[in-house]
Amino acid sequence: MESNVILEDYCSYEVAKLLKQKGFPFDRLEGGFQRLLNLNVMEAYTTVTHAIARKWLRKKGIDIFVGAIRDMSLGKRYEANVHKDMVYQGGSHTVKATYEEAVEAELKFCLTEIL
């Protein structure tokens, strides 16, 4: 049976760490999940999705574009590139098997090379 729940891909620990170093406002981020450590203690995690990270970068003038590439031998692949203030900035120049991997690679590129 199909669910109506939309599942988002979360940023890796490495990208989350880079976001924090670059000033991402984790303290104002709503959402996340909680884990019960014992009967009296609850541990809360704030999480960030690819969509939230990309929105934050757009506010700084950085856009990530992801496109699909058809490869006859490998099938569909994804490549992304980056624009800052509508000017092409390049990208990680890697072709990934999934859309999510391409976004993750470009987030790393933006946070280490552009921002």
Side-chain angles (χ1 to χ4, degrees):
M1 183 169 147
E2 195 170 314
S3 170
N4 290 332
V5 177
I6 297 174
L7 300 175
E8 279 280 347
D9 286 298
Y10 292 95
C11 292
S12 67
Y13 174 75
E14 182 182 355
V15 168
K17 198 165 122 178
L18 288 168
L19 284 165
K20 185 174 182 178
Q21 290 171 1
K22 300 296 180 174
F24 183 86
F26 279 99
D27 57 331
R28 291 181 291 175
L29 187 64
E30 294 180 12
F33 60 94
Q34 296 180 339
R35 179 176 75 162
L36 186 62
L37 293 177
N38 60 46
L39 292 178
N40 298 318
V41 180
M42 184 75 76
E43 183 176 57
Y45 295 90
T46 302
T47 57
V48 62
T49 64
H50 287 161
I52 292 170
R54 289 174 74 181
K55 182 177 181 180
W56 181 72
L57 287 172
R58 278 194 303 276
K59 289 179 181 178
K60 296 184 171 301
I62 300 170
D63 291 293
I64 296 174
F65 298 94
V66 181
I69 301 168
R70 286 272 178 210
D71 184 318
M72 296 307 248
S73 61
L74 299 174
K76 190 188 286 186
R77 310 303 260 173
Y78 296 89
E79 185 175 25
N81 60 61
V82 178
H83 289 76
K84 179 165 174 52
D85 299 323
M86 300 308 292
V87 177
Y88 177 71
Q89 299 294 312
S92 62
H93 299 293
T94 56
V95 176
K96 300 292 185 179
T98 68
Y99 177 90
E100 294 76 21
E101 289 173 345
V103 171
E104 185 81 10
E106 294 315 298
L107 286 170
K108 288 177 191 173
F109 175 80
C110 290
L111 294 167
T112 57
E113 304 293 329
I114 295 176
L115 199 60

